[in-house]
């Protein structure tokens, strides 16, 4: 028996003693330890005791093609044998990084033909921010460097990307350092629109607020707008119809770069390789991606940017270079995993599958809307969330300390389902390979967990 090898007690003790988990309340870790995972296959993961869970979270919004793929293991092993590492700087490049950049340019919308490879999502967004600064300097507009982002946004965990983010819980005092360069506007959450506004009025409010912010700061000082197509950890916020197009038009009017943070929404999660154009009708200036790029098999991120930017920064004869890069930029083994991942998504027709099964998830999850505690069900293809409220009419939340999302998550976990708790929410982003039967399993198990909690 595979699981017999694990000495659970000593693993739990070692985890508590030495492993500091991000986003885990220390007291909870000390008292309860963690769910220690030993294996995974497809949409399922197994703890060290051999208990099986349907991972409706897809790892961390990332196990798009599902776990345990033999051909992925082979591709990775082959690359390790052939070339495990190669210097990404200066005048060197490795074959797999070149092939991947070419592929990403082919898949990305419009004139987004240039790629800077990073180690994950945060470093992709960091790179985009630096690129904005560099671009504005190169075109002789060094004042045009303020950026606008949104309340509840999540753009990563580095100092910079946390500062771009707008989740109250993630913004302790030290992020004040950048507060006069980074400005936050409203979260486009129709469920929490100001009282009395319908969706169309809310959209006008959001667009006007954005344009007013640019005008107040001065359009000659605003360099970029950062936005996730659908906010992920901010609570699966699906903006009012037409929002991104309208925000992009404001950017066009004021010469502001539109940066689409597609770390979660790309590589099939919304039924397209990139959601910006295909789902929201916008060709951004820069797209950042990671996660589903390798389906989590290895760490990798990318900052993909336009000919328009390249033509400015890369102007011939200027002798410029971008002083930026990570030791593991373009890591050949990570790049192989991305290439294999893309091949699998295409060969198995996973994008049309997401259209079909994602629509089914949308329909089935809406069936939970009438349950007690459920304030809002938000789902677009394979990005979903249920928001819990103490009072449906007023939409009042439970006190944070009650950890309602965690309570429901733990009850689902006992039944073999993982749905990620974020305070008042449970979020879901299952692998793209999920079946209708697994969608039923998610919805029915979550229903039981909610009813047991109510
Ligand atoms: N941007 C978005 C929209 C994300 O959701 C995340 C991670 O969840 C990041 C950036 C950061 O990516 P990473 O955790 O790979 O650094």
């Amino acid at each position: 028996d595979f699981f017999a090898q694990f000495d659970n007690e000593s693993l739990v003790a070692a985890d508590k003693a030495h492993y500091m988990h991000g986003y885990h309340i220390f007291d909870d870790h000390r008292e309860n330890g963690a769910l220690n995972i030993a294996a995974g296959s497809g949409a399922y993961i197994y703890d060290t005791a051999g208990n099986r869970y349907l991972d409706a979270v897809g790892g961390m919004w990332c196990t798009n093609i599902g776990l345990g793929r033999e051909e992925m293991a082979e591709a990775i092993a082959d690359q390790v044998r052939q070339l495990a590492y190669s210097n990404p700087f200066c005048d060197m490049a490795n074959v797999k990084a070149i092939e991947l950049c070419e592929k990403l340019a082919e898949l990305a919308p419009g004139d987004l033909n240039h790629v800077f490879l990073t180690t994950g999502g945060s470093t992709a967004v960091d790179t985009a921010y630096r690129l904005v600064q560099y671009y504005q300097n190169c075109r002789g507009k060094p004042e045009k460097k303020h950026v606008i982002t949104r309340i509840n946004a999540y753009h990563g965990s580095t100092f910079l990307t946390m500062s771009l983010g707008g989740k109250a819980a993630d913004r302790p005092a030290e992020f004040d350092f950048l507060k006069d360069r980074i400005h936050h506007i409203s979260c486009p959450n129709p469920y929490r629109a100001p009282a009395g506004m319908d969706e169309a009025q809310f959209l006008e409010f959001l667009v006007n607020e954005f344009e007013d912010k640019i005008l107040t700061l001065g359009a000659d000082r605003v360099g970029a707008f950062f936005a996730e197509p659908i906010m992920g950890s901010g609570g699966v916020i699906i903006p009012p119809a037409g929002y991104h197009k309208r925000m992009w038009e404001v950017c066009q009017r004021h010469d502001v770069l539109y940066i689409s943070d597609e770390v979660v929404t790309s590589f099939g999660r919304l039924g397209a390789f990139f959601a910006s154009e295909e789902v929201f009708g916008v060709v951004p200036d820069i797209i950042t991606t990671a996660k589903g790029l390798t389906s989590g098999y290895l760490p990798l991120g990318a900052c993909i940017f336009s000919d328009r930017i390249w033509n400015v920064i890369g102007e011939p004869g200027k002798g410029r270079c971008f002083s930026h890069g990570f030791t593991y930029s373009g890591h050949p083994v990570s790049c192989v995993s991305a290439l294999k991942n893309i091949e699998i998504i295409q060969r198995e027709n996973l994008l049309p599958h997401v259209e079909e099964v994602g629509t089914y998830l949308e329909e089935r999850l809406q069936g939970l809307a009438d349950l007690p505690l459920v304030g809002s069900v938000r789902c677009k293809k394979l990005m979903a969330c249920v928001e819990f409220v103490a009072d449906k009419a007023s939409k009042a939340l439970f006190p944070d300390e009650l950890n309602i999302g965690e309570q429901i998550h733990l009850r689902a976990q006992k039944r073999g389902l993982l749905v990620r708790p974020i305070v008042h929410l449970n979020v879901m982003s299952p692998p793209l390979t999920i079946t209708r039967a697994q969608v039923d399993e998610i919805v029915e198990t979550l229903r039981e967990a909610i009813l047991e909690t109510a």
Side-chain angles (χ1 to χ4, degrees):
D1 174 9
F2 169 80
F3 296 99
Q5 66 182 296
F6 300 111
D7 173 354
N8 236 329
E9 242 169 66
S10 53
L11 272 172
V12 169
D15 173 47
K16 289 183 182 179
H18 303 294
Y19 186 3
M20 183 168 120
H21 302 193
Y23 294 100
H24 194 169
I25 293 170
F26 295 140
D27 293 327
D28 181 26
H29 188 196
R30 218 178 340 257
E31 216 172 294
N32 303 315
L35 182 64
N36 295 327
I37 302 301
S41 173
Y44 293 97
I45 57 176
Y46 299 82
D47 68 18
T48 48
N51 297 306
R52 186 179 91 156
Y53 304 91
L54 175 55
D55 182 13
V57 196
M60 190 66 191
W61 322 85
C62 65
T63 58
N64 290 16
I65 59 166
L67 296 166
R69 295 258 190 177
E70 197 55 44
E71 65 173 309
M72 179 64 91
E74 287 301 322
I76 288 171
D78 285 349
Q79 184 60 38
V80 169
R81 287 185 205 102
Q82 197 174 310
L83 177 70
Y85 180 79
S86 168
N87 179 355
F89 291 145
C90 308
D91 63 351
M92 288 183 75
N94 73 73
V95 172
K96 295 301 162 187
I98 296 170
E99 287 176 11
L100 178 61
C101 290
E102 185 182 33
K103 190 77 193 169
L104 292 177
E106 176 197 317
L107 297 175
D111 68 340
L112 274 70
N113 290 317
H114 307 270
V115 184
F116 195 97
L117 294 169
T118 70
T119 55
S122 303
T123 48
V125 178
D126 249 283
T127 299
Y129 184 89
R130 288 204 60 191
L131 197 55
V132 169
Q133 315 290 303
Y134 189 63
Y135 165 77
Q136 302 295 4
N137 281 345
C138 288
R139 66 200 283 248
K141 299 201 173 190
E143 303 302 317
K144 202 169 165 60
K145 287 183 189 147
H146 286 250
V147 306
I148 297 177
T149 70
R150 301 167 310 158
I151 291 164
N152 280 334
Y154 183 78
H155 293 294
S157 230
T158 58
F159 193 108
L160 170 77
T161 52
M162 272 287 183
S163 305
L164 288 171
K167 291 173 71 177
D170 286 347
R171 294 184 59 79
E174 72 255 33
F175 295 108
D176 279 359
F177 176 62
L178 288 164
K179 78 168 188 287
D180 49 2
R181 299 284 290 271
I182 297 173
H183 311 271
H184 292 81
I185 54 175
S186 296
C187 172
N189 182 357
Y191 179 62
R192 301 241 169 233
M197 271 190 205
D198 65 20
E199 192 160 315
Q201 292 165 328
F202 186 42
L203 175 62
E204 293 310 312
F205 164 83
L206 294 164
V207 173
N208 291 335
E209 180 198 31
F210 181 39
E211 191 148 24
D212 287 349
K213 177 61 89 179
I214 294 174
L215 294 172
T216 307
L217 292 165
D220 51 350
R221 295 170 70 223
V222 179
F225 171 59
F226 283 74
E228 301 151 80
I230 292 179
M231 283 184 187
S233 33
V236 186
I237 306 299
I238 304 168
Y243 170 85
H244 286 292
K245 194 82 192 289
R246 295 283 305 278
M247 299 299 266
W248 178 83
E249 285 165 4
V250 173
C251 288
Q252 295 300 297
R253 273 202 288 287
H254 299 289
D255 182 25
V256 168
L257 296 173
Y258 179 104
I259 293 150
S260 189
D261 184 355
E262 292 226 38
V263 166
V264 169
T265 56
S266 51
F267 292 93
R269 184 135 308 283
L270 297 179
F273 272 106
F274 294 98
S276 341
E277 187 186 29
E278 283 195 51
V279 182
F280 295 100
V282 161
V283 176
D285 297 286
I286 301 178
I287 288 178
T288 50
T289 181
K291 294 190 191 274
L293 170 59
T294 63
S295 285
Y297 276 85
L298 284 169
L300 186 69
C303 170
I304 311 171
F305 61 99
S306 65
D307 287 344
R308 290 156 290 151
I309 293 177
W310 171 248
N311 290 341
V312 170
I313 64 174
E315 189 185 338
K318 290 283 184 189
R320 292 190 190 118
C321 85
F322 191 36
S323 307
H324 183 73
F326 310 100
T327 300
Y328 301 122
S329 284
H331 194 287
V333 190
S334 296
C335 290
V336 155
S337 74
L339 286 163
K340 179 55 81 179
N341 180 56
I342 294 167
E343 181 196 317
I344 290 172
I345 291 175
Q346 289 180 323
R347 192 183 65 226
E348 296 187 0
N349 291 317
L350 291 179
L351 303 183
H353 176 69
V354 170
E355 282 294 331
E356 198 272 321
V357 81
T359 306
Y360 185 61
L361 179 65
E362 289 171 14
E363 287 163 13
R364 292 273 1 238
L365 268 184
Q366 284 305 336
L368 302 181
D370 293 333
L371 293 186
L373 306 183
V374 175
S376 164
V377 174
R378 303 189 279 274
C379 181
K380 190 148 181 91
K381 297 299 178 274
L382 294 183
M383 269 182 97
C385 124
V386 179
E387 177 168 340
F388 304 107
V389 290
D391 179 62
K392 287 197 182 211
S394 70
K395 304 180 183 175
L397 294 169
F398 289 100
D400 286 5
E401 310 78 71
L402 207 69
N403 254 323
I404 186 76
E406 174 82 8
Q407 284 192 40
I408 293 167
H409 147 76
L410 287 175
R411 291 189 173 115
Q413 186 176 308
K414 276 205 203 93
R415 295 169 162 83
L417 171 72
L418 299 183
V419 285
R420 180 171 164 227
I422 309 179
V423 201
H424 312 278
L425 314 171
N426 284 162
V427 300
M428 287 152 268
S429 61
L432 314 186
T433 50
I434 195 135
T435 62
R436 278 177 164 244
Q438 287 168 329
V439 166
D440 292 339
E441 188 180 336
I442 292 171
V443 175
E444 289 317 315
T445 310
L446 186 54
R447 178 194 302 280
E448 286 171 22
I450 294 170
L451 288 174
E452 196 192 335
T453 310

